[in-house]
Amino acid sequence: NVALRTMRTDAVYPLAVSDAVKLTAVANIVFAILCVGFYGENTQDLVITNLRNGPTLSILKLLFCVDLFFTFPIVFSSGCQIMELAI
């Protein structure tokens, strides 16, 4: 596996993945709790739609596009590696 060869020791990889998943889950749960706390029962599925139109919303949408622009190749590359190894 390509990912296992990038770690200094193979035993560290499962622990690193597990910790990353746990950290992401905790961050998402905290974010969800904060959103419900701020917006209550009126929280939209896409939290960004709770914001009023204005410069803040425009900046957040722009930052989201930049985020997608830079993270898509990383996710796509990982998927390609998995498919190549499976073939």
Side-chain angles (χ1 to χ4, degrees), residues 1-22:
N1 190 345
V2 174
L4 289 176
R5 290 190 302 247
T6 61
M7 302 295 285
R8 286 190 177 153
T9 59
D10 293 348
V12 177
Y13 183 74
L15 182 61
V17 171
S18 175
D19 288 346
V21 169
K22 289 175 188 173

Side-chain angles (χ1 to χ4, degrees), residues 21-84:
V21 169
K22 289 175 188 173
L23 180 65
T24 303
V26 168
N28 283 331
I29 291 169
V30 169
F31 181 71
I33 291 170
L34 287 172
C35 290
V36 171
F38 283 121
Y39 298 106
E41 302 264 337
N42 297 326
T43 303
Q44 302 294 320
D45 290 339
L46 298 173
V47 176
I48 200 166
T49 59
N50 290 313
L51 301 174
R52 294 185 193 107
N53 285 331
T56 303
L57 182 60
S58 298
I59 291 169
L60 286 175
K61 286 181 178 180
L62 179 66
L63 290 173
F64 182 64
C65 289
V66 170
D67 174 60
L68 288 176
F69 180 77
F70 286 108
T71 57
F72 175 77
I74 296 169
V75 174
F76 187 72
S77 171
S78 300
C80 286
Q81 287 179 1
I82 292 169
M83 291 301 292
E84 287 174 358

